[in-house]
């Protein structure tokens, strides 16, 4: 029988945890074993670190699986764990340092944050928003986006954050799907030196819309805006007038905290539902143990609050742990390509959490940019969003981590709520490109097409065999689709849709989405492994491969390659790259064609969109491009790809 996914790429390098970090790490050495012996006891211990109003009487109710319920009967308001208890201890501790793209900056204490959350919560109440309602938040990365999310949580309204780069149509679709009662937005937000008109998009999205009664507008871009009296309210006119006391609404552990839409690769966006008690337990626990947060750390997650990473690891996880974080409003290349490294130097950032797409972009821009800044404050690095190719991992390790900082490659999804597969920096010996092992209490395995666990040294499908507290509770308004998408592939098991291999040491290596796996002459080859082999070449910063239809081999590998620095592609390099892949992982994985391109098509959260590259390779009319961040690149690639070099038949 053929392998579900081949195991081709071998990585020999490994990095034990630094002694100094290990000796004072938050995660105790036997945490994995203890949690494995009694996962529910582990989660109870983690949940008890939060502030509850009423204790739960049942840890897990699985009587209506897959509609699981955690901490049944418990009540809390998540903002008390995130704000009130820290304010009681020390109101002057900084919650956020914020830097605007134009260079302005602010620092906000826990005391100030709680007061502003309460004022905003009272403003929402005045607009007749309350428990059970949903509020759309369509903003840039300003401190008020965090305030807006927490203000909703304070009064028991669910938030639905829509990424500020989405169009009016995408916003409308999401507002309608959960019948939002209000929208919180800005006049405009700063992005790469210009102002993006958020309020204008909100106005367009609300034409003929019935459920939204009020729009709260923060002034930031100072761009002109249209105004609908009665519906629109300036933040600076309404919020400061409000009382800074707002009693937290008592919420059931299983009450809705937020809805967040995830598009996946095709189809209508899914409104992923998360609830209060389990979600906060998961994000708080993982944040403390994975990022090893200490009082004197300055933590920076570069994500946007429009994605789950922003929800879990900018807002809820860090605040539940009383962390001090940096938030940056703009893009990494404004005004210059060294903005991030300047920020790390200026604020003394100690923990950096970012995405492989950013790391590979920095590889392309060259190491002299970080090399020109003082990054010695850093002690820990994180990665999330895509598989990190071993060579990108090594570049991150050398040029950002200065060979001193452990890297935590964290695998998880919007649906999982919190980190699921990850090193713990004081415990785990890391290997470049591997997310290593499941977080304590997480029951993740690799199985074949029939659901049987694969032996070490083999590839297959990732599954999670037991429920966990921060898991999604469903797809908003569509319980059948929830069962169908996540629980029908293997009975009683959560199916994330990712390929994975397990090595001889039991380490997990994520291989990208199952839908992207290529079938070459009867072999199932993951895109990740071929891409990693290409990125392993000294000239390559980034690569994407797809299987395009081929009469002889079923599918043939078409590669798209972004070169480092000022290198230019040429025919000899194509020959060399094909040879490099053959040497690295085997002749079967040699790309049939290689196209050089200045960039790759990416989603707005930075994930490579292979589906479009497949359309280009098979010379099809392009599918939906609305979720694309960089639409112009598709045309550029198409022009280059119509005459693919290095064709090998
Ligand atoms: C947090 C987030 C989820 C999908 C997931 C997987 C990919 C995320 C990864 C990773 C390999 C990692 N993914 N982290 N793949 N290694 N460390 O990104 O959520 O936007 O819902 O995407 O992203 O394919 O299934 P989301």
């Amino acid at each position: 029988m053929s392998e579900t996914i081949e195991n081709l790429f071998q990585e020999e390098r490994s990095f034990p945890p630094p002694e100094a970090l290990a000796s004072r790490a938050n995660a105790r050495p036997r945490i994995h074993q203890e949690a494995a012996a009694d996962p529910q006891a582990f989660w109870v211990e983690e949940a008890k670190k939060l502030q509850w109003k009423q204790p739960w009487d049942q840890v897990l109710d699985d009587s209506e699986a897959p509609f699981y319920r955690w901490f049944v009967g418990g009540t809390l308001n998540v903002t008390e764990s995130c704000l009130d208890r820290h304010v009681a201890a020390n109101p002057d501790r900084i919650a956020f340092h914020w830097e605007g793209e134009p260079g302005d900056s602010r620092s906000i204490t826990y005391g100030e944050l709680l007061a502003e959350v309460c004022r905003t919560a009272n403003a929402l109440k005045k607009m007749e928003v309350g428990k059970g309602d949903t509020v759309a938040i369509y903003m840039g990365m300003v401190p008020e986006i965090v305030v807006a999310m927490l203000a909703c949580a304070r009064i028991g309204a669910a938030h639905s954050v829509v990424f500020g780069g989405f169009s009016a149509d995408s916003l409308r679709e999401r507002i309608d799907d959960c019948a939002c009662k209000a929208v919180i937005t800005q006049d405009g937000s700063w992005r790469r030196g210009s102002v993006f008109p958020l309020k204008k998009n909100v106005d367009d999205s609300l034409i003929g819309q019935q459920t939204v009664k009020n729009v709260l507008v923060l002034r930031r871009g100072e761009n002109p805006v249209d105004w609908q009296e009665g519906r629109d309210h300036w933040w600076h006119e309404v919020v400061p007038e409000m009382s800074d006391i707002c009693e937290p609404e008592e919420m059931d552990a299983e009450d809705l905290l937020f809805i967040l839409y995830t598009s996946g690769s095709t189809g209508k966006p899914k409104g992923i539902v998360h609830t209060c008690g389990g979600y906060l337990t998961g994000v708080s626990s993982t944040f403390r143990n994975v990022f090893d947060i200490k009082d004197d750390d300055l933590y920076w997650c570069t994500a946007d609050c429009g994605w789950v990473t922003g929800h879990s690891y900018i807002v809820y996880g860090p605040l539940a742990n009383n962390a001090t974080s940096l938030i940056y409003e703009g893009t990494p290349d404004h005004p210059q390509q060294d903005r991030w490294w300047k920020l790390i130097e200026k604020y003394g950032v100690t923990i950096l959490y970012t995405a492989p797409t950013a790391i590979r972009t920095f590889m392309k821009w060259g190491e002299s940019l970080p090399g020109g800044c003082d990054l010695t404050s850093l002690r820990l690095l994180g990665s999330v969003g895509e598989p990190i190719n071993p060579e990108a991992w090594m570049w991150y390790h050398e040029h950002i981590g200065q060979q001193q900082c452990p890297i935590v490659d964290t695998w998880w999804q919007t649906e999982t709520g919190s980190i699921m597969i990850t090193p713990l920096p004081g415990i785990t010996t890391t290997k470049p490109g591997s997310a290593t092992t499941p977080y304590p209490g997480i029951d993740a395995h690799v199985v074949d097409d029939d659901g049987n666990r694969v032996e070490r040294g083999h590839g297959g499908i990732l599954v999670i065999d037991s429920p966990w507290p921060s898991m999604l509770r469903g797809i908003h308004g569509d319980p059948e689709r929830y069962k169908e998408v996540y629980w029908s592939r293997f009975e009683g098991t959560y199916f994330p849709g990712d390929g994975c291999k397990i090595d001889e040491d039991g380490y997990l290596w994520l291989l990208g989405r199952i839908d992207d796996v290529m079938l070459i002459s009867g072999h199932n080859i993951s895109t990740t492994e071929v891409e990693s082999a290409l990125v392993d070449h000294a000239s390559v910063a980034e690569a994407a491969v797809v299987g395009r239809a081929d009469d002889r081999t079923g599918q043939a590998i078409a590669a798209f390659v972004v070169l480092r620095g000022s290198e230019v592609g040429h025919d000899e390099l194509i020959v060399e790259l094909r040879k490099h892949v053959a040497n690295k992982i085997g002749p079967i994985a040699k790309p049939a064609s290689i196209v050089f391109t200045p960039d790759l098509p990416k989603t707005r959260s930075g994930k490579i969109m292979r589906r479009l590259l497949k359309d280009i390779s098979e010379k099809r009319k392009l599918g939906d491009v609305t979720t694309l961040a960089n639409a112009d690149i598709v045309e550029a690639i198409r022009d280059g790809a119509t005459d693919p070099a290095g064709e090998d038949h």
Side-chain angles (χ1 to χ4, degrees), residues 262 308-309 383-388 409-415 435 496 498 510 512-513 605 607:
T262 173
V308 73
T309 306
S383 173
V384 60
E386 286 181 293
I388 178 165
D409 173 13
T410 62
W411 178 90
W412 58 295
Q413 307 177 297
T414 305
E415 293 87 340
D498 278 24
L510 277 304
R513 304 294 296 171
S605 65
K607 297 189 208 289

Side-chain angles (χ1 to χ4, degrees), residues 485-531:
V485 174
Y486 303 108
W487 301 94
S488 65
R489 184 75 168 75
F490 306 106
E491 187 60 32
T493 288
Y494 176 77
F495 170 69
D498 278 24
C500 191
K501 69 182 190 187
I502 181 161
D503 73 11
E504 300 296 344
D505 300 324
Y507 277 48
L508 301 174
W509 300 73
L510 277 304
L511 297 177
R513 304 294 296 171
I514 296 278
D515 301 342
D516 289 336
V517 169
M518 305 174 290
L519 187 61
I520 316 292
S521 306
H523 295 265
N524 286 308
I525 297 181
S526 90
T527 52
T528 303
E529 296 216 301
V530 181
E531 288 163 6

Side-chain angles (χ1 to χ4, degrees), residues 217-421:
V217 188
L218 179 81
R219 189 151 71 195
R220 169 65 185 153
E222 300 188 6
N223 47 316
V225 290
D226 289 342
W227 207 251
Q228 190 168 315
E229 281 309 327
R231 186 196 71 181
D232 299 346
H233 317 272
W234 281 116
W235 183 299
H236 62 266
E237 288 175 359
V238 176
V239 174
E241 300 296 310
M242 297 290 145
S243 159
D244 60 6
I245 294 170
C246 175
E247 283 307 314
E249 187 75 30
E250 182 166 351
M251 303 292 282
D252 191 276
E254 283 296 327
D255 276 339
L256 187 56
L257 177 62
F258 66 83
I259 298 171
L260 181 59
Y261 289 84
T262 173
S263 44
S265 48
T266 46
K268 185 173 170 290
K270 303 186 279 277
I272 302 300
V273 169
H274 282 287
T275 57
C276 298
Y279 173 78
L280 198 67
T281 300
V283 298
S284 171
S285 168
T286 48
F287 183 75
R288 181 169 50 254
N289 289 318
V290 175
F291 297 107
D292 191 45
I293 195 78
K294 298 288 194 301
D295 274 354
D296 53 0
D297 274 316
L298 181 42
Y299 164 84
W300 182 21
C301 168
T302 66
D304 188 286
C305 284
W307 315 122
V308 73
T309 306
H311 284 61
S312 300
Y313 299 108
I314 292 178
V315 182
Y316 293 106
L319 292 176
N321 284 284
N322 202 12
T324 298
S325 303
L326 172 66
I327 295 178
Y328 167 57
E329 182 181 39
T331 58
D333 53 354
H334 189 84
Q336 313 275 292
Q337 291 175 339
D338 61 358
R339 184 69 182 269
W340 280 20
W341 321 125
K342 289 241 161 76
L343 284 166
I344 290 173
E345 181 176 84
K346 174 173 170 187
Y347 290 93
V349 172
T350 61
I351 304 169
L352 175 68
Y353 190 30
T354 191
T357 179
I359 297 162
R360 293 184 304 244
T361 299
F362 297 131
M363 284 170 72
K364 183 168 69 184
W365 290 347
E367 47 263 20
S368 65
L369 295 169
C373 293
D374 180 3
L375 305 182
T376 49
S377 57
L378 288 170
R379 71 175 190 94
L380 179 61
L381 304 175
S383 173
V384 60
E386 286 181 293
I388 178 165
N389 323 97
E391 244 11 76
W393 196 106
M394 288 305 299
W395 191 94
Y396 198 25
H397 171 72
E398 276 163 30
H399 299 290
I400 310 305
Q402 307 141 95
Q403 307 188 14
Q404 309 289 321
C405 306
I407 297 177
V408 287
D409 173 13
T410 62
W411 178 90
W412 58 295
Q413 307 177 297
T414 305
E415 293 87 340
T416 70
S418 59
I419 293 169
M420 303 292 280
I421 302 174

Side-chain angles (χ1 to χ4, degrees), residues 139-168:
M139 303 177 82
M141 285 304 288
V142 289
E144 286 81 1
I145 191 171
V146 180
V147 172
M149 292 165 73
L150 295 169
C152 291
R154 189 77 173 177
I155 61 174
H159 53 70
S160 165
V161 182
V162 179
F163 174 60
F166 275 134
S167 67

Side-chain angles (χ1 to χ4, degrees), residues 598-599 601 625 628-639:
D599 200 357
V625 293
L628 207 62
N630 48 351
D632 11 328
I633 196 65
V634 174
E635 286 310 317
I637 298 173
R638 188 154 48 182
D639 293 345

